[in-house]
Amino acid sequence: MQTHEIRRRFLNHFVAAGHTEVPSASLILNDPNLLFVNAGMVQFVPYFLGAQTPPFVRATSVQKCVRTLDIENVGITTRHNTFFQMAGNFSFGDYFKRDAIAFAWSLLTNSIEDGGYGFDPERLWATAYLDDDEAISLWKEIARLPDERIQKRGMADNYWSMGIPGPCGPCSEIYYDRGPEFGADGGPEADEDRYIEIWNLVFMQNERGQGTSKDNFEILGPLPKQNIDTGMGVERVAFLLQNVANVYETDLVRPVITKAEEVTGRTYGVDHQDDIRFRVIADHARTAAMLIVDGVNPGNDGRGYVLRRLLRRIVRSAKLLGADQPTMGALMTVVRDEMSPSYPELATNFERIENVAVGEETAFRNTLTSGSKLFENAADAVKTKGGNVIGGTEAFALHDTYGFPIDLTLEMAAEAGLTVDEDGFRSLMAEQRKRAKEDAQSRKHAHADLSVYKELVDRGPTEFTGFSELTTEANVLALISGGVRVPTAVQGEDVEVVLDRSPLYAESGGQIADKGSLSATGLRVRVNDVQKIAKKLWVHKVTIEEGQLTEGDVVLAQVDPQWRHGSTQGHSGTHMVHAALRQVLGPNAVQAGSLNKPGYLRFDFNWQGGLSDAQRDEIETVTNDAVGADFQVNTFVTDLPKAKEMGALALFGENYGDEVRVVEIGGPFSMELCGGTHVQHSSQIGPVTILGESSVGSGIRRVEAFVGLDSYRYLAKERALLAGIASSLKVPSDEVPARIEQLVERLRVAEKELDKTKAAAVLASAGTFVDAAERIGAVKLVAASAPEGVSGNDLRSLAVDIRGRFGTDPAVVVLLGNADGKVPFVVAANKAAQDLGIKAGDLVGSFGPSIAGRGGGKADMAQGAGSDPAGIDAGLDAVRNRVVELAGNS
């Protein structure tokens, strides 16, 4: 049975049982505790917590999930994926254990002809929480399971929670016995490779408190309602029904391995280590594609770092399998072809997916090239000292600082006849992971207590009147202070106010909230901010400036008209810049985020590489031409499929409802899904001046601009600045660039001449150093401070010149400089000194600690730099003593 069919049957089964089918949420949700959605129930958390009343009592979904806790173990085990699909059914205070068990059992064991999966019931096992006698009894009654195929397990295995205070409860897991050829008898407790978990039924009935682990937390008491949350692993069911060895060989994953075989020339199933690499490629390619399509871009922290790490592991694995050409485009194409029947967005957005993945591959291949050079330097340093082990610190630095993978370090070390201190490397990695884990744990906290808003949310959404008016008469539904309802608020107090109607825009979609006021006879209230709760309740954060505000009052809610005018200019300007970017750069310049406020806009978009001056100028011109065209701004509400069919742009990773609002400016020029406020005609935006364009992460660029009066003020300021420069240079304004270029060129020539003069003066001092040379045994030693301010290159030239003047006599030159608080140094030893056993590279160790310096080189020449000029004299004494030892031994 194909994976797409497994998904279809699951959803059909539960829809037929009265469940509402809910689409998968984006992998990115606004949850401070989650990097990515990692379970099917995540989008329903507000319902389980009781913060919101669900619009249905039964739901079913197939949720895309990503778990990245043990990326290094992917491919080593054969049942874990970073990306997986979790099919689930949910009850919000409706049915409980009996129906949950019955629904799962019937789907698993019903014949294929009857819409089930056709599993042999004799090969299914169940587990239950230690004291959950009710579940055990139901397994016996409904599934006819004998005692020996029901196992009791403790909290770590069979008691579920989110890991933070919130809903929890005992669970029952369903396992499939693959047979004795896969492991020992004895059920899931004995062997979870033979007995594969395919479904977990969570009986969510309690509330948990604080705790430190999966089985160490306090159970506070029962929830108001008993809920059901289940999760069936689609990939695990697929590999069992398709009778393949593991999840990597199912119909949607194995084609990626086949393509990897083609591009690497290796064969899957021949070598264990190669098989792990093939599985890493297949798993990570799917995960990366799903993350990119939901709006993630490679970066150095958070979600971006996870994506970067996945993509780099693909490149690394392909390289270790023998690929010497780029592979990412081919792999992503296979992922698209196999997964798009269930996730059509992979096809519609494939060009962007490919560009991001290929761009990261190109960058990392360059990193591997530079990393190889760094490795060669480290290997040379080890060999120079007569060693054969690359230290764990060096290996960790290659990995952590330069992104050079440890397995390539190990492979290259072996080729060079060296080994690596793996224990030291692993220890440093463990320390880093521990710090990261502690940091992540410190960021976790209980879900915000929104129960105070629940009754208000249940009453229905706030009526937003701000599209058509700036002043609205409204009823005060509630006052909230410190997380609790209060009856009144008086002058000087800051409170939250919930109204039945409001013209004030609540922050969302990149547009910040309106400023405004609430008023009545004897009452004046300043509105500082407006936020949404549950996407539909407007909460006004206010300061009582005069009088007393009481629940039930009727007030006049008013938007600051000047603020709204500037805000709509900024928001409509954002749409215009987005349209101009797509016109100039093409359809892949897609929004990745925005911020707009009165007079200013910031727009982030997906793009590889910076914009040229010509492109930036063209974007600004196209934007202002559209502004000057005085386009009509039209808004209308339609259903999501119709809006997409019309070509309206949607934001990556955003979850939209069945009905959406479309903002159209100039017909085909700009059409986007948007819930914000806008001007009525494009000319009302006023001039748009792009301030700059920059990178804010791998594959993401940012444009910033002023609009309206702020744009005019900025241009006036720039004009005054140009006039001042023109006056100083005594040229017309249009000749300023050419005159500045002339001045810069003259300065560059003067600096070069000055450098030549300095270099000549340095070299002229060589004779003075030779005359002052010390004789130590047969060796002539120059150990001295160089003239202050001498650069490293000039220092090297001076040392070489001094060394050459000693002819065939054994000579060693050690020069320590002092430039801007740094201590550049050069050590030079001629052939005669080397024959006596004195090597330049070895001498660095004698004086390096004195100046907090590091460096190295070969027998004839070594150089580096320190950071402690106060240690120069001590360093020179140390090198003299070392030369005395060596010359004496010679």
Side-chain angles (χ1 to χ4, degrees):
M1 187 181 296
Q2 300 297 292
T3 303
H4 298 304
E5 175 65 11
I6 292 170
R7 286 170 46 97
R8 188 187 69 80
R9 285 178 179 243
F10 187 94
L11 294 171
N12 287 349
H13 177 76
F14 284 100
V15 168
H19 294 67
T20 298
E21 181 180 339
V22 180
S24 171
S26 167
L27 285 166
I28 306 168
L29 284 186
N30 186 24
D31 186 326
N33 296 303
L34 292 178
L35 205 58
F36 304 110
V37 169
N38 61 3
M41 56 77 66
V42 170
Q43 67 170 313
F44 303 117
V45 164
Y47 306 148
F48 291 128
L49 288 172
Q52 296 180 33
T53 300
F56 32 66
V57 293
R58 299 182 177 194
T60 184
S61 70
V62 178
Q63 174 66 47
K64 49 190 178 182
C65 301
V66 168
R67 291 180 186 170
T68 58
L69 288 177
D70 298 304
I71 288 178
E72 290 90 348
N73 292 325
V74 167
I76 297 174
T77 70
T78 57
R79 65 180 189 272
H80 290 98
N81 297 122
T82 52
F83 170 81
F84 58 95
Q85 301 171 87
M86 188 61 76
N89 60 287
F90 309 91
S91 166
F92 309 104
D94 185 18
Y95 62 84
F96 201 45
K97 295 180 184 179
R98 172 177 291 278
D99 285 344
I101 291 172
F103 286 142
W105 189 257
S106 60
L107 177 59
L108 289 175
T109 60
N110 281 354
S111 68
I112 291 174
E113 293 75 19
D114 290 335
Y117 293 141
F119 279 107
D120 179 358
E122 297 300 315
R123 302 185 75 167
L124 295 176
W125 290 59
T127 63
Y129 183 55
L130 289 173
D131 63 358
D132 194 353
D133 295 333
E134 180 187 2
I136 294 170
S137 175
L138 288 169
W139 281 116
K140 293 177 182 180
E141 175 191 341
I142 295 169
R144 300 284 190 264
L145 285 179
D147 287 337
E148 60 268 20
R149 296 219 314 273
I150 305 173
Q151 293 186 332
K152 295 182 178 182
R153 307 185 80 173
M155 286 190 76
D157 294 300
N158 276 69
Y159 204 97
W160 181 91
S161 78
M162 291 185 291
I164 56 175
C168 64
C171 60
S172 273
E173 297 169 327
I174 306 173
Y175 288 79
Y176 179 80
D177 180 5
R178 300 167 71 196
E181 65 270 30
F182 292 99
D185 291 336
E189 283 191 332
D191 191 329
E192 289 197 11
D193 283 323
R194 170 177 169 174
Y195 300 89
I196 296 291
E197 178 196 342
I198 55 177
W199 206 331
N200 187 14
L201 314 179
V202 179
F203 311 130
M204 202 177 289
Q205 61 191 48
N206 295 319
E207 183 178 0
R208 66 156 281 181
Q210 296 289 346
T212 57
S213 66
K214 290 177 68 174
D215 57 356
N216 180 22
F217 54 82
E218 182 183 4
I219 297 175
L220 302 178
L223 291 171
K225 294 182 179 179
Q226 294 180 326
N227 306 303
I228 287 294
D229 156 31
T230 86
M232 186 194 82
V234 172
E235 281 76 12
R236 292 194 184 184
V237 170
F239 100 75
L240 294 172
L241 292 180
Q242 292 171 21
N243 196 31
V244 294
N246 54 64
V247 293
Y248 301 97
E249 297 177 20
T250 56
D251 60 315
L252 300 187
V253 187
R254 184 59 170 87
V256 185
I257 292 179
T258 300
K259 177 57 69 173
E261 290 178 304
E262 179 184 320
V263 298
T264 63
R266 300 275 182 92
T267 301
Y268 182 70
V270 174
D271 178 82
H272 174 69
Q273 199 61 43
D274 280 0
D275 287 354
I276 292 175
R277 291 164 183 157
F278 277 120
R279 292 193 286 261
V280 165
I281 290 171
D283 173 87
H284 290 3
R286 287 208 318 165
T287 307
M290 299 305 292
L291 291 178
I292 295 169
V293 83
D294 272 1
V296 182
N297 284 281
N300 292 325
D301 55 25
R303 298 182 178 106
Y305 177 70
V306 172
L307 175 58
R308 169 162 286 164
R309 193 171 170 206
L310 294 171
L311 290 170
R312 290 186 168 192
R313 280 172 61 84
I314 295 171
V315 177
R316 178 184 69 197
S317 297
K319 180 177 177 64
L320 292 172
L321 286 169
D324 54 6
Q325 296 296 323
T327 62
M328 199 66 73
L331 297 172
M332 290 297 158
T333 298
V334 176
V335 173
R336 175 200 64 191
D337 294 344
E338 298 302 326
M339 297 293 292
S340 57
S342 291
Y343 302 100
E345 62 268 27
L346 290 171
T348 55
N349 297 297
F350 180 70
E351 190 173 355
R352 176 177 171 269
I353 295 170
E354 184 178 39
N355 286 343
V356 170
V358 169
E360 185 64 20
E361 177 183 34
T362 301
F364 188 48
R365 287 175 69 87
N366 293 335
T367 294
L368 291 178
T369 300
S370 59
S372 296
K373 293 177 182 176
L374 291 166
F375 170 83
E376 289 168 6
N377 292 338
D380 286 344
V382 170
K383 290 180 177 179
T384 298
K385 295 177 181 177
N388 61 1
V389 179
I390 294 176
T393 302
E394 286 74 17
F396 181 75
L398 280 167
H399 166 85
D400 191 55
T401 306
Y402 303 103
F404 201 66
I406 183 61
D407 43 10
L408 282 185
T409 300
L410 292 169
E411 184 177 282
M412 293 175 68
E415 290 172 356
L418 302 172
T419 60
V420 178
D421 176 13
E422 287 190 70
D423 289 342
F425 172 82
R426 305 289 176 200
S427 175
L428 291 168
M429 283 294 294
E431 288 178 17
Q432 185 190 62
R433 286 197 193 97
K434 181 182 178 184
R435 288 193 299 270
K437 186 175 181 180
E438 289 171 348
D439 180 63
Q441 191 64 36
S442 70
R443 295 169 188 266
K444 283 194 172 188
H445 53 77
H447 288 271
D449 182 5
L450 303 180
S451 57
V452 67
Y453 305 105
K454 184 177 183 299
E455 178 190 343
L456 299 163
V457 171
D458 289 347
R459 290 179 60 167
T462 303
E463 180 187 351
F464 177 60
T465 63
F467 289 136
S468 58
E469 61 186 27
L470 300 183
T471 302
T472 298
E473 190 176 83
N475 295 307
V476 177
L477 300 181
L479 302 176
I480 299 166
S481 177
V484 297
R485 295 274 290 269
V486 294
T488 61
V490 298
Q491 183 174 333
E493 290 186 335
D494 293 330
V495 294
E496 296 179 352
V497 180
V498 178
L499 305 174
D500 62 341
R501 313 168 70 231
S502 177
L504 291 114
Y505 184 77
E507 180 178 350
S508 64
Q511 180 177 342
I512 67 174
D514 280 333
K515 302 292 186 185
S517 64
L518 308 179
S519 61
T521 302
L523 175 70
R524 188 175 73 250
V525 178
R526 183 177 72 249
V527 178
N528 305 310
D529 190 15
V530 190
Q531 294 294 323
K532 290 182 185 179
I533 298 294
K535 296 187 177 181
K536 60 183 182 179
L537 188 73
W538 266 233
V539 175
H540 305 73
K541 299 185 177 183
V542 309
T543 299
I544 313 296
E545 294 185 323
E546 180 183 339
Q548 176 177 294
L549 183 63
T550 302
E551 183 176 314
D553 282 352
V554 176
V555 297
L556 196 66
Q558 184 170 6
V559 180
D560 179 334
Q562 186 173 352
W563 177 277
R564 171 64 71 83
H565 177 66
S567 180
T568 57
Q569 285 181 309
H571 199 163
S572 298
T574 302
H575 283 227
M576 304 297 267
V577 169
H578 189 189
L581 280 163
R582 292 171 62 82
Q583 184 170 314
V584 174
L585 302 178
N588 286 322
V590 178
Q591 181 174 352
S594 68
L595 173 70
N596 46 79
K597 59 183 180 180
Y600 170 85
L601 68 87
R602 185 182 77 202
F603 187 81
D604 297 344
F605 61 100
N606 296 298
W607 193 254
Q608 298 288 339
L611 304 185
S612 66
D613 290 341
Q615 286 174 319
R616 202 182 92 172
D617 289 344
E618 186 178 359
I619 291 163
E620 189 173 72
T621 298
V622 169
T623 301
N624 284 296
D625 284 348
V627 169
D630 196 26
F631 289 140
Q632 177 79 30
V633 178
N634 299 310
T635 63
F636 56 90
V637 175
T638 185
D639 59 74
L640 184 58
K642 182 70 179 294
K644 289 184 175 179
E645 183 182 329
M646 295 170 64
L649 298 177
L651 186 64
F652 276 113
E654 182 70 24
N655 291 316
Y656 294 96
D658 294 332
E659 286 195 337
V660 292
R661 181 170 180 264
V662 179
V663 176
E664 175 195 65
I665 307 177
F669 181 75
S670 172
M671 186 182 296
E672 299 189 33
L673 303 186
C674 179
T677 60
H678 289 271
V679 298
Q680 295 179 327
H681 294 267
S682 63
S683 60
Q684 293 171 337
I685 297 170
V688 177
T689 302
I690 293 180
L691 305 176
E693 180 268 338
S694 59
S695 171
V696 290
S698 178
I700 301 181
R701 309 296 297 181
R702 171 172 291 172
V703 167
E704 296 179 86
F706 283 139
V707 299
L709 276 176
D710 287 83
S711 177
Y712 169 77
R713 294 187 186 104
Y714 172 79
L715 292 173
K717 193 173 173 183
E718 291 287 293
R719 182 177 62 190
L721 178 62
L722 178 61
I725 295 173
S727 176
S728 297
L729 296 176
K730 295 182 172 54
V731 296
S733 295
D734 58 354
E735 293 181 16
V736 166
R739 177 57 61 89
I740 290 177
E741 188 174 342
Q742 291 173 4
L743 292 173
V744 169
E745 181 58 30
R746 286 170 60 185
L747 180 60
R748 188 180 297 118
V749 170
E751 287 176 341
K752 285 183 178 179
E753 290 300 320
L754 183 60
D755 287 343
K756 288 180 182 178
T757 302
K758 283 182 179 179
V762 168
L763 293 176
S765 66
T768 303
F769 285 102
V770 171
D771 293 341
E774 304 172 56
R775 178 173 290 279
I776 300 175
V779 178
K780 292 183 177 178
L781 171 65
V782 174
S785 296
E788 189 167 346
V790 176
S791 67
N793 287 336
D794 289 343
L795 204 61
R796 182 185 177 96
S797 298
L798 178 60
V800 170
D801 188 13
I802 295 171
R803 182 181 63 182
R805 298 192 183 204
F806 288 109
T808 58
D809 292 338
V812 175
V813 180
V814 181
L815 297 178
L816 276 62
N818 188 350
D820 298 324
K822 299 294 183 183
V823 187
F825 62 78
V826 175
V827 183
N830 64 11
K831 183 66 169 59
Q834 294 170 47
D835 291 341
L836 295 176
I838 304 175
K839 299 178 180 179
D842 293 344
L843 289 178
V844 174
S846 64
F847 65 84
S850 298
I851 59 170
R854 296 183 64 182
K858 299 182 179 179
D860 63 329
M861 178 70 66
Q863 64 186 94
S867 58
D868 184 7
I872 290 177
D873 290 341
L876 293 174
D877 289 340
V879 79
R880 287 190 190 96
N881 293 335
R882 181 57 179 157
V883 171
V884 167
E885 292 175 14
L886 295 171
N889 292 336
S890 64

